[in-house]
Amino acid sequence: MKWTGLNELRDSYLRFFESKGALRHKSYSLIPHNDNSLLLIVAGMAPLKPYFTGQEVPPRTRMTTCQKCIRTGDIENVGKTARHGTFFEMLGNFSFGDYFKEEAIEWAWEYCTKVLELPVDRLFVSVYENDDEAEKIWHEKIGLPLEKIFRMGKEDNFWEAGTDGPCGPCSEIYFDRGEEYGCGKPDCKVGCDCDRYMEFWNLVFTQFERHEDGTYTPLAQKNIDTGMGLERLATIMQNVDSIFDVDTIKAIRDKVCEIAGCEYGKEYKKDVSIRVITDHIRSVTFLASDGVLPSNEGRGYVMRRLLRRAVRHGKLLGINGLFLKDIVKTVVDNSKSEYNELEEKYDYIVKLLTTEEKNFNETIDRGLNILSGYISDMQANGETVLDGVKCFTLSDTYGFPIDLTREILEEKGLSCDEEGYAAAMEEQRETARKARGGSKYMGADETVFHKIDKSFTTKFVGYETLTNNAEIAFIANDDELIENAGVGDEVYIVSSVTPFYAESGGQAGDKGTIKTASGVCEVIDTQKVVAGKFAHKVKVVEGAVSVGQTAEFTVDKESRQNVMRNHSCAHLLQAALRKVLGDHVHQAGQLVTDDRLRFDFSHFEAVTPQQLSEIEDLVNGYILSAMDIKVEEMPIDEAKKLGAMALFSEKYGETVRVVTMGDASIEFCGGTHLDNTSKAGLFKIVSESSVASGVRRIEAVTGNGVLKLIKEQADIITASAQTLKIGNTSELANRCAGVMGEIKTLEKEIESLRGEISNMKTKSLFDNVQNVGGVDVISARLDGVGTEMLRKMCDEIKADRPDAVAVLAGVDNGKANLACAAGKNAVAKGAHAGKIVGKVAAVTGGKGGGRPDSAMAGVADMSKLSEALDAAAGIVAEFVK
């Protein structure tokens, strides 16, 4: 591994993939072409979407690019840290229905180890949790040990940009930068949120297209999309701390320091401003070269915001006058070898940015004037807090920083509405999120358990025993470690040894009791918290407990037994599912508690009632055959040779625990199980449903749960039989069928009678007609008439009386609705049912509307219904010509 400049790295990458038959294509514009899902290009594949979807024919089935990209999702963090930036270049190699996973992985490895000469012992990879194929290639083809291959979930290893477009599982390559960049945690590894393991190359196996409604469909062809941040790669190759230390970016950073007359690395606040300017000037220079203009919306707003932040931070560094043009020259000089448009449009870029910079300087003065006006109004009205929306408007529209607003207000003895400002800011961020691709983070939030010594762990002895004595090592609430807890307190107890199983692999944590000489705790749940520690969530029910006391830890035997029944039957269920539905079935998730089991599995259509019956019979057959359940620990390779099934989402060590149930099931599993299938008693499926595309869910009960279900259903049957006055419950089905037939007959008779009543009422309505401008107007209140009958009566009036307008109020169950019908001749004379009924309803405080010939409205105040109907004729007169 030797020092390599950023521009040389870019060229070496592109030349390497040219040697593999790829077309070397110049970067596309930052402005998306015919893609409304993105404001700006955020990834190398974004401009190539039509090729991935097959909508357009690519110039070659193999391509390679170095794409200009801008992401502003973390703009507030740019400068505050040395890892965030908005502009970056993304190296990529792409295949459109040509090569796929094997070549993509092999060539990536070749480039890393042969061309860049990166040390193999410092390289790691991750794969999507369900991608066995990729793991196999890394392990068997490349020779990477399994311990250097990490399976991760969708958030980390499934790539998609924007609201729609090509996407798919991915494999990422990491470089171990050394312990000096780590967090010091004993479990620090790939996926940790520290800086040690740097992800620098993402290999996306594009197989699907995401649609705006969130659904996915397979692409017509399998594609490859890889992305590697050029600046990140340069950070590794140049052995520097951050992207701001890379040669071409450092040149910009040094220019900023030269203009500001300061030194980088001496003062944090100044470093923040230096990094903001260094990053943002790159973004706005490239945006300008691609034709983006500063504005208050869309990508123009992104550009304006970036430029104003840069100018603002220039002022914080003490830079007076216009300075961006001097830094632009450095940006252009360091990037023109690849992006010749920068040099070609240099004069235009400088003019555009300088004009915006000049306007912003004036804007700051305008912002001061606006703020002064706000302060005068506040003082006149005796107010002390400036509205948060106004604070945000000053910042967002006028570019007047919130910290400056805060400072000026405080000088006047005033303050700003921080919550209102934050709400307005979040609303804007949400809008921005919808317009850009999402970002991802790895790692977990700090918890109270991180305060416990890293070397402290909990030993689980619950496979062998349900009770043991141990010292209470720690007690904690949600916020801090405490020394003791009394009656009514809900706290967490941590010990070095426990028989309580902590929730894992879908099996719920154990319940039970923890007793000391001075108190009793009910264990509500048991969880794995951090670094091998188990936390017992407890409620103190007697006395008090303290750190350092010896306690008796006792698992609830009945609860554990029920959990084991459900867990063992979950294994038997998977075996039955694979036998009935096929070998494509794999566990996609499960929940095993003491009262039920929930099993999610891969399958692409609803399981039929016949299949469910067969599956249920198979599981009960396994139970009744009384198969011994054997639990063994063995090397992982040996377990695989035995055919043991593993979970896609789990990471396994060299030694694994294997649970075998006769010749029915063999799986990797760390949970607790019965020793014989017969102890499950019985198994009953309660429901089958869809969880997601390609994932089904079965919920079931076992043992006592089945007995409880049988009793509940028997009670329902008995109660139903009594209601129908049946002595023999075996006659219930026939009696129910007979009752349903009787109900249908009665419903038909009722409908017929309603029709006759409707006709009679409709005819009687015209006994009292008012003529308004040649249009017959009727209005009436009809008690016991619902919405459907009102509509039917209106339809009859329109058909029979073309010169009429009817306003009818149907009152049913204490609620009223208005309906208006206008015959075709009445409509021709200007009558409009929607507008008429709206005005009539308004008399009662209601609202409504609809078509010219038919409309409905609601009544708000029933006491004004008569007044509203009396006003109908006058309202019709307003419309009739």
Side-chain angles (χ1 to χ4, degrees):
M1 172 175 151
K2 58 184 179 180
W3 189 98
T4 311
L6 182 142
N7 288 319
E8 289 74 22
L9 277 174
R10 183 196 302 113
D11 187 60
S12 78
Y13 178 93
L14 296 173
R15 282 190 288 105
F16 175 80
F17 280 97
E18 273 189 296
S19 73
K20 302 300 182 183
L23 171 67
R24 177 172 176 170
H25 196 287
K26 183 177 171 63
S27 173
Y28 292 84
S29 170
L30 282 165
I31 303 174
H33 177 66
N34 292 331
D35 187 347
N36 295 325
S37 69
L38 297 171
L39 283 180
L40 294 164
I41 294 300
V42 297
M45 60 75 63
L48 308 176
K49 284 183 182 180
Y51 303 150
F52 283 110
T53 60
Q55 294 172 340
E56 295 181 18
V57 178
R60 195 179 297 177
T61 56
R62 299 181 182 184
M63 291 180 66
T64 185
T65 65
C66 183
Q67 175 63 45
K68 300 171 289 187
C69 301
I70 287 181
R71 295 180 186 174
T72 58
D74 296 313
I75 189 171
E76 296 295 336
N77 290 321
V78 174
K80 293 179 182 177
T81 74
R83 64 160 72 172
H84 290 92
T86 58
F87 178 87
F88 62 99
E89 297 177 61
M90 183 172 282
L91 298 166
N93 56 284
F94 312 95
S95 166
F96 311 107
D98 192 320
Y99 63 86
F100 198 49
K101 290 184 185 180
E102 189 166 328
E103 295 89 343
I105 291 173
E106 288 180 351
W107 292 343
W109 191 252
E110 181 183 349
Y111 181 70
C112 289
T113 59
K114 303 300 182 184
V115 179
L116 299 180
E117 299 178 357
L118 290 172
V120 173
D121 63 333
R122 297 175 72 177
L123 294 174
F124 297 78
V125 301
S126 66
V127 296
Y128 181 50
E129 59 188 353
N130 294 334
D131 198 347
D132 290 335
E133 181 184 6
E135 183 188 71
K136 186 177 181 181
I137 295 169
W138 280 116
H139 181 53
E140 298 183 6
K141 293 282 185 179
I142 302 302
L144 206 60
L146 286 172
E147 60 265 27
K148 300 190 77 175
I149 304 172
F150 295 81
R151 288 180 181 261
M152 295 186 179
K154 188 173 184 180
E155 182 180 0
D156 298 308
N157 277 68
F158 194 94
W159 197 92
E160 47 197 1
T163 57
D164 63 354
C167 58
C170 62
S171 181
E172 296 178 322
I173 305 177
Y174 292 77
F175 183 76
D176 180 2
R177 305 182 72 195
E179 291 183 2
E180 63 271 29
Y181 289 97
C183 57
K185 297 177 182 177
D187 59 341
C188 181
K189 59 183 177 182
V190 169
C192 184
D193 59 358
C194 69
D195 292 330
R196 176 172 178 175
Y197 296 95
M198 178 182 281
E199 179 267 310
F200 66 96
W201 201 346
N202 190 4
L203 314 179
V204 182
F205 313 124
T206 315
Q207 300 169 242
F208 308 104
E209 179 161 8
R210 176 191 168 110
H211 304 283
E212 288 188 346
D213 63 359
T215 59
Y216 298 82
T217 54
L219 288 169
Q221 59 187 23
K222 291 181 178 180
N223 307 309
I224 287 295
D225 154 32
T226 83
M228 174 160 56
L230 177 58
E231 294 84 351
R232 278 198 178 193
L233 180 62
T235 300
I236 294 170
M237 296 303 298
Q238 295 176 21
N239 193 29
V240 292
D241 289 339
S242 76
I243 60 173
F244 294 94
D245 302 305
V246 168
D247 59 337
T248 57
I249 303 173
K250 181 178 179 294
I252 302 168
R253 189 194 81 191
D254 290 345
K255 186 66 176 178
V256 174
C257 291
E258 175 188 328
I259 295 171
C262 62
E263 186 177 351
Y264 184 72
K266 296 295 184 181
E267 186 180 334
Y268 175 72
K269 285 186 177 180
K270 288 186 176 181
D271 287 352
V272 169
S273 294
I274 292 167
R275 288 192 289 261
V276 167
I277 298 169
T278 300
D279 171 78
H280 288 9
I281 193 64
R282 295 179 77 211
S283 289
V284 297
T285 298
F286 278 90
L287 284 168
S289 74
D290 280 343
V292 179
L293 298 172
S295 69
N296 285 332
E297 59 183 16
R299 59 184 66 94
Y301 172 77
V302 173
M303 183 179 188
R304 172 163 286 169
R305 189 178 181 200
L306 289 167
L307 188 145
R308 290 185 172 186
R309 288 190 92 232
V311 174
R312 164 64 181 155
H313 280 274
K315 293 188 179 300
L316 290 176
L317 289 174
I319 301 174
N320 296 313
L322 306 175
F323 68 94
L324 293 184
K325 62 181 185 300
D326 298 321
I327 311 176
V328 169
K329 181 70 166 60
T330 307
V331 175
V332 172
D333 287 343
N334 280 276
S335 300
K336 63 185 181 183
S337 61
E338 178 67 20
Y339 305 105
N340 59 307
E341 67 268 24
L342 293 175
E343 191 168 42
E344 293 170 1
K345 299 177 180 178
Y346 174 76
D347 291 336
Y348 166 79
I349 295 169
V350 167
K351 183 178 180 180
L352 177 66
L353 300 186
T354 301
T355 300
E356 182 67 9
E357 182 182 10
K358 185 178 180 180
N359 290 340
F360 179 55
N361 285 335
E362 297 171 358
T363 295
I364 286 186
D365 293 334
R366 188 160 64 238
L368 277 170
N369 291 333
I370 293 170
L371 180 56
S372 295
Y374 287 157
I375 291 172
S376 296
D377 291 342
M378 291 170 66
Q379 291 173 334
N381 296 324
E383 299 172 351
T384 59
V385 180
L386 180 60
D387 176 73
V389 174
K390 289 179 179 177
C391 293
F392 180 73
T393 301
L394 275 170
S395 171
D396 190 57
T397 303
Y398 299 103
F400 201 79
I402 184 64
D403 55 348
L404 189 55
T405 298
R406 226 181 257 123
E407 182 179 330
I408 294 171
L409 287 171
E410 288 172 358
E411 289 173 358
K412 304 288 185 181
L414 308 172
S415 63
C416 65
D417 172 14
E418 299 285 355
E419 289 186 6
Y421 174 83
M425 174 69 77
E426 183 56 35
E427 184 178 348
Q428 186 223 53
R429 284 174 176 165
E430 183 60 32
T431 301
R433 282 187 203 108
K434 293 176 181 176
R436 69 170 188 266
S439 58
K440 63 180 184 181
Y441 296 89
M442 294 179 289
D445 292 335
E446 192 88 359
T447 69
V448 65
F449 302 107
H450 285 85
K451 297 177 181 179
I452 299 175
D453 190 288
K454 297 173 185 177
S455 63
F456 183 91
T457 58
T458 303
K459 181 182 179 182
F460 175 61
V461 295
Y463 291 136
E464 299 84 24
T465 181
L466 294 182
T467 184
N468 78 279
N469 292 330
E471 180 183 293
I472 296 178
F474 301 94
I475 300 176
N477 56 30
D478 289 331
D479 303 312
E480 59 185 347
L481 297 176
I482 57 179
E483 289 299 313
N484 48 63
V487 172
D489 290 343
E490 287 196 8
V491 296
Y492 300 93
I493 289 177
V494 180
S495 60
S496 60
V497 183
T498 183
F500 284 79
Y501 183 87
E503 181 178 343
S504 180
Q507 179 175 323
D510 276 331
K511 302 173 185 177
T513 59
I514 297 176
K515 296 180 180 179
T516 70
S518 60
V520 179
C521 301
E522 176 190 355
V523 179
I524 303 167
D525 192 12
T526 311
Q527 295 282 332
K528 288 182 180 177
V529 284
V530 61
K533 301 170 182 63
F534 285 24
H536 308 82
K537 184 177 182 180
V538 307
K539 182 174 182 179
V540 183
V541 293
E542 290 181 28
V545 295
S546 303
V547 171
Q549 281 188 304
T550 298
E552 182 182 49
F553 290 69
T554 306
V555 175
D556 184 318
K557 183 176 181 180
E558 184 178 355
S559 176
R560 169 73 81 84
Q561 192 74 13
N562 287 335
V563 169
M564 292 194 297
R565 289 190 181 101
N566 287 328
H567 200 160
S568 294
C569 281
H571 284 223
L572 297 175
L573 173 59
Q574 178 164 224
L577 285 166
R578 289 172 63 84
K579 191 166 185 177
V580 174
L581 303 179
D583 290 341
H584 65 278
V585 169
H586 288 280
Q587 180 179 327
Q590 73 172 6
L591 174 64
V592 177
T593 66
D594 57 2
D595 63 350
R596 66 184 175 122
L597 71 90
R598 188 181 74 200
F599 190 83
D600 298 345
F601 57 97
S602 54
H603 191 55
F604 307 100
E605 59 187 5
V607 184
T608 67
Q610 293 80 7
Q611 289 171 328
L612 285 174
S613 179
E614 188 177 350
I615 291 163
E616 190 173 270
D617 288 346
L618 270 173
V619 175
N620 281 310
Y622 296 146
I623 291 170
L624 295 174
S625 62
M627 295 183 292
D628 285 334
I629 297 176
K630 183 172 63 174
V631 179
E632 299 174 282
E633 288 192 354
M634 62 182 70
I636 190 169
D637 290 337
E638 183 181 336
K640 288 179 177 179
K641 288 177 183 177
L642 292 174
M645 291 188 67
L647 287 178
F648 290 140
S649 58
E650 288 292 318
K651 295 184 176 73
Y652 299 98
E654 289 299 314
T655 302
V656 294
R657 193 165 179 268
V658 178
V659 178
T660 305
M661 301 184 185
D663 57 2
S665 169
I666 178 169
E667 293 188 31
F668 291 22
C669 186
T672 60
H673 287 275
L674 303 169
D675 57 15
N676 190 283
T677 60
S678 63
K679 292 184 178 179
L682 287 171
F683 171 86
K684 179 65 181 176
I685 293 174
V686 176
S687 67
E688 190 275 342
S689 61
S690 172
V691 177
S693 178
V695 179
R696 308 295 300 182
R697 170 174 292 172
I698 281 178
E699 296 198 48
V701 290
T702 66
N704 292 326
V706 177
L707 296 177
K708 182 180 177 183
L709 180 65
I710 291 171
K711 185 178 184 306
E712 288 173 353
Q713 292 180 344
D715 289 345
I716 292 170
I717 291 170
T718 300
S720 300
Q722 289 173 349
T723 300
L724 293 172
K725 298 180 180 179
I726 300 171
N728 187 348
T729 56
S730 64
E731 298 175 4
L732 183 60
N734 289 334
R735 180 63 183 129
C736 286
V739 169
M740 288 302 298
E742 293 170 13
I743 290 172
K744 288 180 181 179
T745 300
L746 291 171
E747 284 176 343
K748 288 180 181 179
E749 292 178 4
I750 291 169
E751 189 63 29
S752 176
L753 289 171
R754 280 179 175 167
E756 293 178 16
I757 293 169
S758 174
N759 290 333
M760 292 169 63
K761 286 188 175 183
T762 302
K763 291 175 182 177
S764 67
L765 290 174
F766 288 92
D767 293 342
N768 297 299
V769 175
Q770 290 179 267
N771 191 276
V772 178
V775 172
D776 291 337
V777 179
I778 60 169
S779 59
R781 169 177 171 147
L782 304 170
D783 291 310
V785 174
T787 304
E788 289 304 315
M789 187 176 287
L790 271 182
R791 288 197 178 99
K792 187 173 182 179
M793 293 175 75
C794 285
D795 289 340
E796 291 173 358
I797 290 169
K798 284 190 298 179
D800 296 341
R801 303 293 292 266
D803 295 306
V805 172
V807 179
L808 308 178
V811 181
D812 192 31
N813 294 324
K815 294 183 180 180
N817 287 290
L818 289 166
C820 182
K824 62 180 181 180
N825 293 344
V827 172
K829 291 181 179 181
H832 190 293
K835 295 177 181 178
I836 292 169
V837 81
K839 285 201 164 192
V840 173
V843 176
T844 74
K847 293 181 181 180
R851 302 192 309 268
D853 64 337
S854 181
M856 297 287 293
V859 174
D861 187 348
M862 289 283 289
S863 69
K864 294 185 178 181
L865 183 56
S866 295
E867 181 184 344
L869 292 172
D870 290 342
I875 292 171
V876 173
E878 295 175 18
F879 294 93
V880 176
K881 298 172 184 176

